């Protein structure tokens, strides 16, 4: 069983930045594709970004590339989501997830989520 723990959420003003972290218990972290998703109140869960387990391929949700950057440190079993120029509509619970498949594959493991609130 792979455990994922997110951190770094909080309250920030519009235009500000946050960096989310997700640390995993996976002994073979480097073999997992890691993704970030978010869910705002009353809305469906939305794909944010993912990074393939091999190489450096990254994929972003619509309109997020350029403001959000996903990265990973395999030595620390951690994936990051740098969020810049935050907008009130970015307010959501952000979840980290892991899969042994491609970036759009079903994700088998999920964290508990971290709240991000952007005030106007």
């Amino acid at each position: 069983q792979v455990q994922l723990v997110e951190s770094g959420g909080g309250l920030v003003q519009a235009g500000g930045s946050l960096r989310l972290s997700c640390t995993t218990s996976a002994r073979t972290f480097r073999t997992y594709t890691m993704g970030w998703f978010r869910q705002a109140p009353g809305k469906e869960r939305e794909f944010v970004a993912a990074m393939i387990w091999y190489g450096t391929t990254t994929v972003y949700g619509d309109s997020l590339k350029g403001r959000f950057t996903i990265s990973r440190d395999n030595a620390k079993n951690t994936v990051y989501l740098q969020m810049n120029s935050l907008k009130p509509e970015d307010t959501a619970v952000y979840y980290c997830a892991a899969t042994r498949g491609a970036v759009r594959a079903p994700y088998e493991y999920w964290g508990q989520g971290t709240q991000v609130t952007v005030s106007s």
Side-chain angles (χ1 to χ4, degrees):
Q1 185 73 12
V2 174
Q3 294 183 327
L4 308 174
V5 179
E6 303 98 334
S7 62
L11 175 64
V12 63
Q13 289 188 333
S17 298
L18 281 175
R19 188 177 80 156
L20 305 183
S21 299
C22 172
T23 301
T24 86
S25 64
R27 289 181 294 175
T28 56
F29 171 75
R30 64 180 67 248
T31 67
Y32 285 87
T33 292
M34 300 300 298
W36 287 97
F37 295 77
R38 68 184 183 183
Q39 188 164 21
K43 295 187 177 181
E44 294 186 354
R45 187 169 60 198
E46 176 186 13
F47 172 79
V48 174
M51 191 167 192
I52 198 76
W53 65 269
Y54 58 89
T56 57
T57 299
T58 57
V59 177
Y60 293 90
D62 294 342
S63 76
L64 296 178
K65 189 176 183 178
R67 294 194 300 124
F68 289 14
T69 303
I70 187 172
S71 62
R72 63 192 294 163
D73 185 338
N74 288 339
K76 296 182 178 179
N77 281 12
T78 300
V79 62
Y80 304 97
L81 183 68
Q82 177 67 43
M83 305 185 295
N84 298 327
S85 302
L86 283 163
K87 306 174 182 180
E89 51 264 43
D90 294 319
T91 295
V93 177
Y94 284 71
Y95 297 92
C96 173
T99 178
R100 287 193 179 273
V103 294
R104 296 288 188 176
Y107 284 73
E108 300 99 280
Y109 305 103
W110 293 83
Q112 292 299 307
T114 185
Q115 176 71 47
V116 171
T117 303
V118 184
S119 63
S120 58

